[in-house]
Structure formats: structure tokens, C-alpha cells
Amino acid sequence: MFDKRKILLIGSDHGGFEMKKFIKENLIKDGYKIKDFGTNSTASVDYPDFIHPLAKSINDNKNELGIILCGSGNGAQMTANKYKNVRAALCWTEEQAELSRKHNNANIISLPGRFIDFKLALKMVKIFLTTDFEGGRHIQRVNKISQIR
Ligand code: RB5
């Protein structure tokens, strides 16, 4: 369960901007404190310019969680996962959002802003924020993710 006293990070490119706005407004209503890394309009931008600063923050402050979006969710996720301590999960279903926390200890959820319903996206974010890592057999597996060979 994400502690609402902490700052939740959110960022997107133009492809995820409208969905980001929707999610951010709803989370603020629910009492979350949000740091928005942009972008701030639907004008075309390069997603790495907005995702790198967010991912670096999560990489350096391990207790944070983040939400990233682009048109497909792929470019944002690929950028974020360049950081050793980042585990960004691209999610299309509620089950994936739940498992990304329970099994993978994901610290970022990546959403496809152009391909899913805004309400489903918000549901997945809420699941992501309220589900804990199960630990146990998953600890060793998660630790191995950054051990490149
Ligand atoms: C932008 O047109 C689009 O390429 C971007 O939002 C994203 O889908 C990239 O993975």
C-alpha cells in the first residue's frame, strides 16, 4: 500500500498527456500528492525527455512509486527500465497491474495512453498503489533482474 504522505511521480509524452491529466486529477481527489514531470500539452515531444528525470528519481530514492505513459506505453517503459533500480511494468489489464506489484515489486506502472479506456487505466493505477510485494520466492527472482550476465 503506497503511503499517501509520500510523493507519487507521474510523467508522459503527448500520447499519454490526456490520460495523465485524468489520472492525476482523480488521484489528487483521493488525497495523493503528485509530482508531475510533464509533458503539459498534446504538442509532440520525445518521451525520453520526460521519462528519464522521473526514472532517475525513482532509481535514486528507492521508496518512491511512479506512473508513466506514452501512446503505446512501450517507449516510456523501455526508457525507465534503463535504470538499475527501476522495475517498470507495462500494464493492459487489472491482473497485470496486481501481479506487477505482488510478483515483480514493480515501482513504475507504464500505461498505453492511446489504447485503453481511461477508467481502466485509473483502476489499474489504484490496484498498483494498493497492492504490496509478496516477497518470499519472488525476492531472489527480482534481485536477479539487474544482475546482467
Ligand atoms: C508518439 O507518437 C509515440 O511514438 C509514443 O507516444 C509512444 O507510443 C512510444 O512508444
Side-chain angles (χ1 to χ4, degrees), residues 13-16 44-45 47 69-76 78 114-115:
D13 72 352
H14 54 291
S44 182
V45 292
Y47 53 83
L69 313 89
C70 63
S72 63
N74 276 322
M78 288 176 189
R114 288 185 176 142
F115 293 97

Side-chain angles (χ1 to χ4, degrees), residues 3-39:
D3 180 348
K4 284 187 181 176
R5 288 169 301 182
K6 290 193 214 159
I7 310 285
L8 181 60
L9 312 187
I10 195 163
S12 77
D13 72 352
H14 54 291
F17 170 71
E18 296 290 359
M19 185 181 280
K20 171 165 73 69
K21 192 163 167 268
F22 176 81
I23 289 171
K24 185 180 160 187
E25 285 168 1
N26 277 280
L27 291 180
I28 288 171
K29 271 189 214 150
D30 281 356
Y32 287 95
K33 295 188 189 68
I34 315 251
K35 179 171 177 186
D36 189 343
F37 284 73
T39 186

